[in-house]
């Protein structure tokens, strides 16, 4: 079977070794005579998997002991609502507007009070990350999106502010080393770097959790998940199982430092092709803010973009069209995307340019 060069922005590439392992034990997990998707989430076999997954996350991300790790059904869009519902405890909440996902998060927060822009990159079509912020008095928290999948920008350094910091890290979690202690809450949908869609990882400081609004429906409270080890109701078992496999794969790859080094090399291959194309390809993000996960670009001749995307697809490159809201082109080079795939795309881009 010929595998596609998978540059989808999410759901996205999963390591082939992980897929093969899951395939091999899909009918019989740990000699139980059952698939992982058939067994009780209260079973000892699942509990072992559940705890091991948390332990692997804590080890790989160097999560301090005073943080809880939660698994919550759904995706990042649900977290836009949950973060605000739990922590909009004062009259305002601050958001750094770096594009579509930040704006969606802010829209959900507006149900609970004044959600305002502490900074915005909209003035230059979100091609950079703001570095100065206006935090108003009586602000509950500052929310940021660490990596913008649509515009291809990424925080290279994180805000140092005097209010709690919440981060949507869906697009770049475990792709680089971070200091978890810089954040009060991190959330990330699994479907880009960790596994299939359907579960969100939440890493939350215990002291911050203690400040959460408790006058909420049961399943909207982070406290429900923390107090019940994410097992108040049936968790997304298969998604957590796949995260477990992916974390083991990351460990085998050498951990976060090794994968970060690999991600820098992968993205640079494609960025070099853009930068050395004599203007044929034009990167969207300013160089200082370029994402290593989502490489966004346009062709100087806009009428060629559709042809480029179609020919790339015919050559086996999947997902290189830009987001439907902005168009253009995008290559999402998440952890599981190989350096060989990035080199193959760069070669295709060079050949296409020469033919034009």
């Amino acid at each position: 079977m010929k595998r596609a060069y998978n540059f989808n922005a999410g759901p996205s590439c999963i390591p082939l070794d992980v897929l093969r392992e899951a395939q091999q034990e899909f009918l019989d997990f740990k000699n139980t005579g059952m698939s992982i998707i058939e067994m009780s989430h209260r079973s000892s076999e699942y509990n072992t998997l559940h705890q091991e997954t948390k332990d692997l996350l804590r080890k790989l991300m160097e999560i301090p002991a005073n943080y809880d790790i939660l698994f919550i059904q759904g995706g990042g869009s649900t977290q836009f609502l949950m973060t605000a519902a739990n922590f909009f405890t004062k009259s305002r909440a601050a958001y750094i507007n770096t594009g579509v996902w930040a704006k969606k998060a802010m829209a959900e927060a507006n149900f609970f009070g004044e959600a305002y822009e502490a900074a915005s990159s909209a003035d230059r079509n979100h091609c950079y990350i703001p570095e100065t912020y206006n935090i108003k008095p009586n602000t509950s928290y500052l929310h940021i999106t660490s990596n913008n999948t649509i515009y291809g920008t990424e925080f290279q350094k994180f805000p140092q502010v005097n209010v709690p910091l919440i981060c949507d890290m869906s697009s770049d979690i475990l792709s680089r080393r971070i200091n978890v202690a810089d954040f009060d809450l991190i959330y990330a949908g699994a479907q880009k770097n960790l596994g299939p869609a359907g579960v969100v990882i939440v890493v939350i400081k215990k002291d911050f959790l203690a400040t959460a609004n408790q006058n909420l429906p049961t399943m909207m409270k982070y406290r429900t998940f923390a107090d019940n080890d994410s097992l108040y109701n049936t968790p997304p078992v298969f998604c957590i199982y796949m995260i477990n496999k992916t974390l083991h794969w990351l460990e085998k790859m050498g951990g976060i430092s090794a994968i970060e080094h690999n991600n820098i090399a992968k993205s640079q291959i494609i960025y070099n092709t853009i930068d050395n194309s004599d203007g044929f390809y034009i990167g969207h993000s300013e160089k200082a803010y370029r994402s290593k996960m989502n490489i966004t670009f346009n062709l100087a001749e806009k009428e060629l973009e559709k042809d480029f995307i179609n020919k790339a697809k015919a050559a086996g490159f999947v997902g290189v069209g830009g987001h439907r809201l902005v168009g253009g082109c995008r290559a999402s080079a998440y952890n599981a995307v190989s350096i060989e795939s990035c080199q193959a795309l760069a070669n295709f881009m060079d050949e296409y340019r020469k033919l034009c």
Side-chain angles (χ1 to χ4, degrees):
M1 179 183 66
K2 181 176 173 58
R3 296 276 294 168
Y5 295 116
N6 187 350
F7 290 95
N8 276 321
S12 54
C13 189
I14 292 175
L16 187 56
D17 287 349
V18 168
L19 294 173
R20 284 176 173 150
E21 285 181 21
Q23 181 185 47
Q24 287 171 4
E25 61 186 29
F26 189 71
L27 298 179
D28 185 7
F29 176 70
K30 302 295 184 184
N31 299 313
T32 59
M34 294 178 288
S35 173
I36 187 70
I37 63 172
E38 297 177 290
M39 63 175 47
S40 171
H41 62 290
R42 308 290 181 191
S43 67
S44 60
E45 291 85 2
Y46 176 71
N47 183 65
T48 298
L49 172 80
H50 191 91
Q51 300 307 322
E52 182 186 69
T53 307
K54 290 171 60 178
D55 290 344
L56 282 165
L57 267 169
R58 196 172 294 278
K59 177 183 176 182
L60 286 164
M61 289 183 67
E62 300 177 329
I63 298 171
N66 62 326
Y67 284 74
D68 282 325
I69 298 170
L70 314 177
F71 300 120
I72 300 179
Q73 295 92 334
S77 295
T78 305
Q79 294 306 302
F80 300 161
L81 174 62
M82 279 190 73
T83 49
N86 280 264
F87 297 110
F88 209 133
T89 54
K90 299 179 180 179
S91 60
R92 299 185 174 98
Y95 285 73
I96 296 180
N97 176 14
T98 51
V100 171
W101 305 117
K103 287 179 67 176
K104 288 188 178 224
M106 190 163 58
E108 296 299 310
N110 272 316
F111 284 101
F112 302 94
E114 179 197 343
Y116 68 92
E117 291 184 351
S120 174
S121 57
D123 60 325
R124 300 208 298 271
N125 195 24
H126 301 300
C127 70
Y128 72 103
I129 297 291
E131 295 186 5
T132 58
Y133 324 109
N134 176 31
I135 306 296
K136 297 179 181 180
N138 213 30
T139 290
S140 302
Y141 57 81
L142 173 65
H143 179 287
I144 66 171
T145 307
S146 59
N147 181 86
N148 192 299
T149 59
I150 294 177
Y151 295 97
T153 57
E154 186 175 48
F155 276 82
Q156 306 302 321
K157 57 183 180 179
F158 295 107
Q160 300 291 318
V161 289
N162 60 357
V163 296
L165 183 61
I166 295 175
C167 183
D168 175 1
M169 211 170 278
S170 296
S171 299
D172 59 352
I173 191 169
L174 288 161
S175 70
R176 55 174 171 162
R177 289 190 66 136
I178 62 159
N179 181 15
V180 172
D182 288 341
F183 305 89
D184 294 271
L185 187 153
I186 294 167
Y187 66 88
Q191 67 272 16
K192 300 176 189 296
N193 269 326
L194 290 171
V199 65
V200 171
I201 290 170
V202 175
V203 179
I204 183 168
K205 195 173 187 178
K206 292 176 187 289
D207 288 350
F208 186 50
L209 178 60
T211 71
N213 176 19
Q214 295 304 303
N215 187 28
L216 293 171
T218 301
M219 294 305 292
M220 287 301 295
K221 291 190 287 190
Y222 286 113
R223 174 59 64 190
T224 299
F225 294 89
D227 287 350
N228 294 278
D229 196 18
S230 302
L231 293 165
Y232 178 82
N233 67 334
T234 308
V237 169
F238 183 72
C239 297
I240 295 168
Y241 163 83
M242 290 296 286
I243 288 173
N244 180 281
K245 294 285 185 192
T246 303
L247 294 175
H248 276 295
W249 173 82
L250 274 168
E251 198 170 39
K252 290 176 187 174
M253 290 286 289
I256 301 303
S257 294
I259 207 73
E260 179 176 18
H261 178 79
N262 199 43
N263 287 333
I264 292 169
K266 289 188 311 186
S267 62
Q268 200 57 53
I269 288 169
I270 301 174
Y271 281 127
N272 283 342
T273 301
I274 293 168
D275 294 341
N276 295 322
S277 70
D278 295 324
F280 186 86
Y281 300 109
I282 303 169
H284 176 76
S285 173
E286 293 180 11
K287 290 183 179 181
Y289 307 101
R290 280 175 165 175
S291 167
K292 292 179 286 297
M293 298 287 95
N294 308 101
I295 301 153
T296 54
F297 59 97
N298 291 90
L299 275 67
E301 297 182 39
K302 290 284 188 182
E303 61 274 14
L304 286 178
E305 287 182 353
K306 186 176 181 180
D307 181 66
F308 172 85
I309 293 165
N310 287 337
K311 283 188 168 59
K313 185 176 181 179
F317 299 96
V318 177
V320 296
H323 191 275
R324 65 186 182 280
L325 294 178
V326 299
C329 304
R330 171 175 60 181
S332 296
Y334 298 123
N335 285 352
V337 176
S338 69
I339 198 162
E340 291 78 14
S341 292
C342 293
Q343 187 61 63
L345 178 59
N347 292 343
F348 171 82
M349 292 169 68
D350 278 336
E351 289 301 316
Y352 184 85
R353 175 173 62 87
K354 291 172 185 174
L355 289 173
C356 292

